[in-house]
Amino acid sequence: MALRSDWSQRSCAMARGLDILGDPWSMLVLREVFFGNGRFDAMKNRLMVADSVLTKRLAGLVDAGLLERKPYDDGGRTRQEYVLTEKGEDALPVLNAVVIWAEKHLPAPSEQAHMFVIHTTCGQRTTSADSCTACGERLTAENTSWHSLTRTPEPVRLATAPAPSRDAFSQNGPAA
Ligand SMILES: [Zn+2]
């Protein structure tokens, strides 16, 4: 992603990862897609961001293989929405960790300005990014909800990569 100097070839994996996941707008775009909010206008309204900024981040995340475009019917007109790939879905623990760390260490500007990571299966809030601190189960996009108190009264189940992408992964990846 050409948002700053290119770190994609750095010898340190953290630097290579931050080349993609170190950009605040890109992370917030991923947040929206995990919330199931993958359409351009809806993302733009939620993020209150300029078209050019959003367009650049979406293109960067598609190029990096974390998002893909999927056509949908908008009242007879075909438009594109953005959905997670398996690679994008795998970024979930990173996003969870940012939320959990911020809730632990950063003051909230208002009583409602909180976001919690919930293990949907047991219904408990977790303070670990990749497994449920209440029951120990590994967290995946399928079994995780986020509860942003300023956004919705109830936790929202997260979006997952669509089936074809998951199938492609299970054929090439480790045995499912
Ligand atoms: Zn649990």
Side-chain angles (χ1 to χ4, degrees):
M1 312 175 70
L3 299 169
R4 63 173 72 77
S5 57
D6 181 2
W7 288 3
S8 64
Q9 301 304 314
R10 298 277 282 238
S11 60
C12 173
M14 184 176 290
R16 294 196 302 277
L18 287 171
D19 194 49
I20 296 166
L21 299 174
D23 174 69
W25 282 121
S26 297
M27 290 290 275
L28 292 176
V29 166
L30 288 174
R31 179 194 73 185
E32 289 309 305
V33 178
F34 271 111
F35 265 129
N37 190 29
R39 297 181 179 180
F40 189 92
D41 290 341
M43 272 192 276
K44 188 187 151 187
N45 290 338
R46 175 63 72 170
L47 295 170
M48 294 185 287
V49 64
D51 280 18
S52 57
V53 172
L54 182 54
T55 300
K56 204 172 192 178
R57 271 28 175 230
L58 286 167
L61 288 165
V62 169
D63 285 350
L66 279 74
L67 297 181
E68 60 190 15
R69 296 183 180 92
K70 186 181 142 204
Y72 73 96
D73 180 53
D74 182 24
R77 183 180 158 205
T78 302
R79 303 186 69 178
Q80 305 289 324
E81 65 183 324
Y82 293 84
V83 296
L84 293 159
T85 61
E86 194 73 35
K87 186 174 176 180
E89 199 180 306
D90 267 353
L92 177 63
V94 183
L95 277 76
N96 283 344
V98 172
V99 172
I100 290 165
W101 181 86
E103 283 291 341
K104 183 175 178 185
H105 293 289
L106 305 182
S110 76
E111 212 172 291
Q112 283 293 100
H114 291 287
M115 180 164 157
F116 304 122
V117 179
I118 312 283
H119 178 216
T120 316
T121 314
C122 79
Q124 298 298 306
R125 183 179 158 191
T126 179
T127 52
S128 169
D130 60 359
S131 63
C132 173
T133 38
C135 76
E137 196 180 325
R138 193 174 76 84
L139 297 176
T140 65
E142 269 182 311
N143 69 22
T144 303
S145 302
W146 284 344
H147 193 189
S148 166
L149 304 190
T150 55
R151 189 173 182 123
T152 52
E154 297 295 326
V156 174
R157 294 196 73 143
L158 299 185
T160 59
S165 169
R166 299 174 77 82
D167 292 348
F169 178 82
S170 60
Q171 281 163 18
N172 301 324

